[in-house]
Amino acid sequence: SKNAGRNQFHFFTRSMQEQAWHRITMMGELRNALPRKELQLYFQPVVELASGRVAKGEALLRWMHPQKGMLLPSEFIALAEESGLIHEFGNWVFMQASAWSKRWTELTGTLFQVSVNASPVQFMQRKRALHWGRYLSELGLAWNSMSVEITEGVLFNTSSSTAEQLLDMRDAGIQVAIDDFGTGYSSMAYLKRFDVDYLKIDQSFVRGTAPNSTRRTIAETIIVMAHKLGLKVIAEGVETPEQRDWLQHAGCDFGQGYLFSQPVPPEEFEQLLSLHSPA
Ligand code: C2E
Ligand code: CA
Ligand code: CA
Ligand code: CA
């Protein structure tokens, strides 16, 4: 009724109205971000612990907002998911990252894999809409040039479209990594079923941890288990040489974190690669 509506209005505090207005404004700006070329990819190196070599890179999305400056994913990915813009963004990220993989493979003379993050929402489409495999063959990219990072929840989504899209990616030579591993509902059976290639140990098991802590014991157990299943392990949030040494000793394959580098623009990332120098 009219009265109920009026009463309800009083429950909206001034800050809630401001929040709603802020969301609507951001949504409009986000819609224009791609055509206005405000989205940018940063890259963070993934280091092979045994050699110290930059072996791979992870693409991380940034929004260069004309007034607010550089915005992190935590400030706009949820909005992109709610609005459906994430599909467009995700395809753009994949295509950009593929082009960089191609360039860095040529520059280094060895396959240089780039990974992208995919939101669970991107898999929730009725059609098999992620034509990433076809795109890779058009670009002429080699098998394993790209890897897609998904969270454990995606594997637990029992919808057939999620399973089909994961299998489509595998058939196209795109590798799969489980992101933030250890924070969700882990099932070994799913790792095998979807032929997952990498486990990324969540930062909470690495950064700020003390030697002999429970968190480190869990990380060490994940590494042993992953290797028995034939998966490679990437540790996230490596911030100190002590953490790196512990992980290497525990048999972890790759490390990623501020110790090696923060995420940087592609031009800066290129400086971190060991390039072929003409003889
Ligand atoms: P993530 O995939 O777990 O990415 C790692 C995050 O940890 C990045 O934050 C990175 O900057 C940060 N990080 C890396 N090393 C360290 C370290 O040593 N210490 C600390 N404290 N932090 C570290 P970022 O770039 O803000 O990204 C946050 C999340 O946003 C990502 O978490 C990912 O889930 C999501 N995201 C990023 N790019 C995309 C994208 O293109 N699409 C989608 N759907 N999600 C994305
Ligand atoms: Ca990730
Ligand atoms: Ca695989
Ligand atoms: Ca992560």
mmCIF file with all atom_site columns, all heavy atoms in Angstrom, residues 9 52 71 112 117 166 184 203 216 253 255 268:
data_model
loop_
_atom_site.group_PDB
_atom_site.id
_atom_site.type_symbol
_atom_site.label_atom_id
_atom_site.label_alt_id
_atom_site.label_comp_id
_atom_site.label_asym_id
_atom_site.label_entity_id
_atom_site.label_seq_id
_atom_site.pdbx_PDB_ins_code
_atom_site.Cartn_x
_atom_site.Cartn_y
_atom_site.Cartn_z
_atom_site.occupancy
_atom_site.B_iso_or_equiv
_atom_site.pdbx_formal_charge
_atom_site.auth_seq_id
_atom_site.auth_comp_id
_atom_site.auth_asym_id
_atom_site.auth_atom_id
_atom_site.pdbx_PDB_model_num
ATOM 1  N N   . PHE A 1 9   ? 10.157 3.764   3.259   1.00 0.00 ? 9   PHE A N   1
ATOM 2  C CA  . PHE A 1 9   ? 11.111 4.769   2.832   1.00 0.00 ? 9   PHE A CA  1
ATOM 3  C C   . PHE A 1 9   ? 11.977 5.229   3.990   1.00 0.00 ? 9   PHE A C   1
ATOM 4  O O   . PHE A 1 9   ? 13.157 5.475   3.837   1.00 0.00 ? 9   PHE A O   1
ATOM 5  C CB  . PHE A 1 9   ? 10.391 5.959   2.193   1.00 0.00 ? 9   PHE A CB  1
ATOM 6  C CG  . PHE A 1 9   ? 11.331 6.997   1.697   1.00 0.00 ? 9   PHE A CG  1
ATOM 7  C CD1 . PHE A 1 9   ? 11.978 6.820   0.480   1.00 0.00 ? 9   PHE A CD1 1
ATOM 8  C CD2 . PHE A 1 9   ? 11.612 8.122   2.441   1.00 0.00 ? 9   PHE A CD2 1
ATOM 9  C CE1 . PHE A 1 9   ? 12.875 7.763   0.021   1.00 0.00 ? 9   PHE A CE1 1
ATOM 10 C CE2 . PHE A 1 9   ? 12.517 9.068   1.980   1.00 0.00 ? 9   PHE A CE2 1
ATOM 11 C CZ  . PHE A 1 9   ? 13.141 8.896   0.772   1.00 0.00 ? 9   PHE A CZ  1
ATOM 12 N N   . GLY A 1 52  ? 64.550 -19.988 -10.274 1.00 0.00 ? 52  GLY A N   1
ATOM 13 C CA  . GLY A 1 52  ? 64.389 -18.556 -10.089 1.00 0.00 ? 52  GLY A CA  1
ATOM 14 C C   . GLY A 1 52  ? 63.973 -17.822 -11.349 1.00 0.00 ? 52  GLY A C   1
ATOM 15 O O   . GLY A 1 52  ? 63.896 -16.594 -11.388 1.00 0.00 ? 52  GLY A O   1
ATOM 16 N N   . LEU A 1 71  ? 41.501 1.481   -10.354 1.00 0.00 ? 71  LEU A N   1
ATOM 17 C CA  . LEU A 1 71  ? 40.652 0.691   -9.465  1.00 0.00 ? 71  LEU A CA  1
ATOM 18 C C   . LEU A 1 71  ? 41.030 -0.782  -9.557  1.00 0.00 ? 71  LEU A C   1
ATOM 19 O O   . LEU A 1 71  ? 41.300 -1.304  -10.637 1.00 0.00 ? 71  LEU A O   1
ATOM 20 C CB  . LEU A 1 71  ? 39.174 0.880   -9.824  1.00 0.00 ? 71  LEU A CB  1
ATOM 21 C CG  . LEU A 1 71  ? 38.623 2.302   -9.729  1.00 0.00 ? 71  LEU A CG  1
ATOM 22 C CD1 . LEU A 1 71  ? 37.132 2.327   -10.056 1.00 0.00 ? 71  LEU A CD1 1
ATOM 23 C CD2 . LEU A 1 71  ? 38.854 2.893   -8.343  1.00 0.00 ? 71  LEU A CD2 1
ATOM 24 N N   . PHE A 1 112 ? 55.596 -19.384 -23.499 1.00 0.00 ? 112 PHE A N   1
ATOM 25 C CA  . PHE A 1 112 ? 55.361 -18.555 -22.322 1.00 0.00 ? 112 PHE A CA  1
ATOM 26 C C   . PHE A 1 112 ? 53.866 -18.523 -22.015 1.00 0.00 ? 112 PHE A C   1
ATOM 27 O O   . PHE A 1 112 ? 53.099 -17.829 -22.671 1.00 0.00 ? 112 PHE A O   1
ATOM 28 C CB  . PHE A 1 112 ? 55.916 -17.141 -22.501 1.00 0.00 ? 112 PHE A CB  1
ATOM 29 C CG  . PHE A 1 112 ? 55.986 -16.398 -21.201 1.00 0.00 ? 112 PHE A CG  1
ATOM 30 C CD1 . PHE A 1 112 ? 57.098 -16.501 -20.383 1.00 0.00 ? 112 PHE A CD1 1
ATOM 31 C CD2 . PHE A 1 112 ? 54.896 -15.661 -20.760 1.00 0.00 ? 112 PHE A CD2 1
ATOM 32 C CE1 . PHE A 1 112 ? 57.140 -15.861 -19.148 1.00 0.00 ? 112 PHE A CE1 1
ATOM 33 C CE2 . PHE A 1 112 ? 54.931 -15.025 -19.520 1.00 0.00 ? 112 PHE A CE2 1
ATOM 34 C CZ  . PHE A 1 112 ? 56.055 -15.127 -18.722 1.00 0.00 ? 112 PHE A CZ  1
ATOM 35 N N   . ASN A 1 117 ? 41.989 -15.026 -15.055 1.00 0.00 ? 117 ASN A N   1
ATOM 36 C CA  . ASN A 1 117 ? 41.008 -15.403 -14.055 1.00 0.00 ? 117 ASN A CA  1
ATOM 37 C C   . ASN A 1 117 ? 39.629 -15.434 -14.687 1.00 0.00 ? 117 ASN A C   1
ATOM 38 O O   . ASN A 1 117 ? 39.278 -14.540 -15.458 1.00 0.00 ? 117 ASN A O   1
ATOM 39 C CB  . ASN A 1 117 ? 41.008 -14.394 -12.904 1.00 0.00 ? 117 ASN A CB  1
ATOM 40 C CG  . ASN A 1 117 ? 42.297 -14.446 -12.110 1.00 0.00 ? 117 ASN A CG  1
ATOM 41 O OD1 . ASN A 1 117 ? 42.484 -15.318 -11.281 1.00 0.00 ? 117 ASN A OD1 1
ATOM 42 N ND2 . ASN A 1 117 ? 43.211 -13.516 -12.404 1.00 0.00 ? 117 ASN A ND2 1
ATOM 43 N N   . LEU A 1 166 ? 34.288 -26.508 -19.527 1.00 0.00 ? 166 LEU A N   1
ATOM 44 C CA  . LEU A 1 166 ? 35.608 -26.910 -19.029 1.00 0.00 ? 166 LEU A CA  1
ATOM 45 C C   . LEU A 1 166 ? 36.233 -27.952 -19.956 1.00 0.00 ? 166 LEU A C   1
ATOM 46 O O   . LEU A 1 166 ? 37.431 -27.890 -20.251 1.00 0.00 ? 166 LEU A O   1
ATOM 47 C CB  . LEU A 1 166 ? 35.496 -27.470 -17.605 1.00 0.00 ? 166 LEU A CB  1
ATOM 48 C CG  . LEU A 1 166 ? 35.388 -26.447 -16.482 1.00 0.00 ? 166 LEU A CG  1
ATOM 49 C CD1 . LEU A 1 166 ? 35.079 -27.129 -15.155 1.00 0.00 ? 166 LEU A CD1 1
ATOM 50 C CD2 . LEU A 1 166 ? 36.674 -25.633 -16.369 1.00 0.00 ? 166 LEU A CD2 1
ATOM 51 N N   . GLY A 1 184 ? 38.048 -23.309 -0.097  1.00 0.00 ? 184 GLY A N   1
ATOM 52 C CA  . GLY A 1 184 ? 36.682 -23.746 -0.402  1.00 0.00 ? 184 GLY A CA  1
ATOM 53 C C   . GLY A 1 184 ? 36.470 -25.196 -0.050  1.00 0.00 ? 184 GLY A C   1
ATOM 54 O O   . GLY A 1 184 ? 37.169 -25.751 0.790   1.00 0.00 ? 184 GLY A O   1
ATOM 55 N N   . GLN A 1 203 ? 46.964 -17.590 -0.593  1.00 0.00 ? 203 GLN A N   1
ATOM 56 C CA  . GLN A 1 203 ? 47.897 -16.715 0.144   1.00 0.00 ? 203 GLN A CA  1
ATOM 57 C C   . GLN A 1 203 ? 47.865 -16.926 1.655   1.00 0.00 ? 203 GLN A C   1
ATOM 58 O O   . GLN A 1 203 ? 48.884 -16.765 2.323   1.00 0.00 ? 203 GLN A O   1
ATOM 59 C CB  . GLN A 1 203 ? 47.543 -15.253 -0.115  1.00 0.00 ? 203 GLN A CB  1
ATOM 60 C CG  . GLN A 1 203 ? 47.569 -14.852 -1.562  1.00 0.00 ? 203 GLN A CG  1
ATOM 61 C CD  . GLN A 1 203 ? 47.476 -13.348 -1.743  1.00 0.00 ? 203 GLN A CD  1
ATOM 62 O OE1 . GLN A 1 203 ? 47.462 -12.612 -0.760  1.00 0.00 ? 203 GLN A OE1 1
ATOM 63 N NE2 . GLN A 1 203 ? 47.425 -12.900 -2.980  1.00 0.00 ? 203 GLN A NE2 1
ATOM 64 N N   . ARG A 1 216 ? 51.270 -23.913 7.521   1.00 0.00 ? 216 ARG A N   1
ATOM 65 C CA  . ARG A 1 216 ? 52.361 -24.430 6.683   1.00 0.00 ? 216 ARG A CA  1
ATOM 66 C C   . ARG A 1 216 ? 52.251 -25.945 6.519   1.00 0.00 ? 216 ARG A C   1
ATOM 67 O O   . ARG A 1 216 ? 52.542 -26.478 5.450   1.00 0.00 ? 216 ARG A O   1
ATOM 68 C CB  . ARG A 1 216 ? 53.712 -24.040 7.276   1.00 0.00 ? 216 ARG A CB  1
ATOM 69 C CG  . ARG A 1 216 ? 54.022 -22.578 7.041   1.00 0.00 ? 216 ARG A CG  1
ATOM 70 C CD  . ARG A 1 216 ? 55.503 -22.308 7.102   1.00 0.00 ? 216 ARG A CD  1
ATOM 71 N NE  . ARG A 1 216 ? 55.768 -20.901 6.861   1.00 0.00 ? 216 ARG A NE  1
ATOM 72 C CZ  . ARG A 1 216 ? 56.967 -20.364 6.812   1.00 0.00 ? 216 ARG A CZ  1
ATOM 73 N NH1 . ARG A 1 216 ? 58.030 -21.132 7.008   1.00 0.00 ? 216 ARG A NH1 1
ATOM 74 N NH2 . ARG A 1 216 ? 57.124 -19.085 6.585   1.00 0.00 ? 216 ARG A NH2 1
ATOM 75 N N   . ASP A 1 253 ? 56.384 -26.190 -6.891  1.00 0.00 ? 253 ASP A N   1
ATOM 76 C CA  . ASP A 1 253 ? 56.955 -25.968 -8.216  1.00 0.00 ? 253 ASP A CA  1
ATOM 77 C C   . ASP A 1 253 ? 57.163 -24.481 -8.542  1.00 0.00 ? 253 ASP A C   1
ATOM 78 O O   . ASP A 1 253 ? 58.214 -24.098 -9.046  1.00 0.00 ? 253 ASP A O   1
ATOM 79 C CB  . ASP A 1 253 ? 56.035 -26.582 -9.282  1.00 0.00 ? 253 ASP A CB  1
ATOM 80 C CG  . ASP A 1 253 ? 55.771 -28.052 -9.022  1.00 0.00 ? 253 ASP A CG  1
ATOM 81 O OD1 . ASP A 1 253 ? 56.666 -28.866 -9.325  1.00 0.00 ? 253 ASP A OD1 1
ATOM 82 O OD2 . ASP A 1 253 ? 54.697 -28.392 -8.470  1.00 0.00 ? 253 ASP A OD2 1
ATOM 83 N N   . GLY A 1 255 ? 56.261 -20.123 -7.512  1.00 0.00 ? 255 GLY A N   1
ATOM 84 C CA  . GLY A 1 255 ? 55.872 -19.136 -6.516  1.00 0.00 ? 255 GLY A CA  1
ATOM 85 C C   . GLY A 1 255 ? 55.490 -17.830 -7.174  1.00 0.00 ? 255 GLY A C   1
ATOM 86 O O   . GLY A 1 255 ? 55.966 -17.498 -8.265  1.00 0.00 ? 255 GLY A O   1
ATOM 87 N N   . GLU A 1 268 ? 56.495 -3.188  -18.535 1.00 0.00 ? 268 GLU A N   1
ATOM 88 C CA  . GLU A 1 268 ? 57.380 -3.394  -17.393 1.00 0.00 ? 268 GLU A CA  1
ATOM 89 C C   . GLU A 1 268 ? 57.608 -4.895  -17.153 1.00 0.00 ? 268 GLU A C   1
ATOM 90 O O   . GLU A 1 268 ? 58.706 -5.310  -16.776 1.00 0.00 ? 268 GLU A O   1
ATOM 91 C CB  . GLU A 1 268 ? 56.729 -2.767  -16.157 1.00 0.00 ? 268 GLU A CB  1
ATOM 92 C CG  . GLU A 1 268 ? 57.685 -2.140  -15.183 1.00 0.00 ? 268 GLU A CG  1
ATOM 93 C CD  . GLU A 1 268 ? 56.936 -1.393  -14.093 1.00 0.00 ? 268 GLU A CD  1
ATOM 94 O OE1 . GLU A 1 268 ? 56.137 -0.473  -14.432 1.00 0.00 ? 268 GLU A OE1 1
ATOM 95 O OE2 . GLU A 1 268 ? 57.117 -1.742  -12.925 1.00 0.00 ? 268 GLU A OE2 1
#
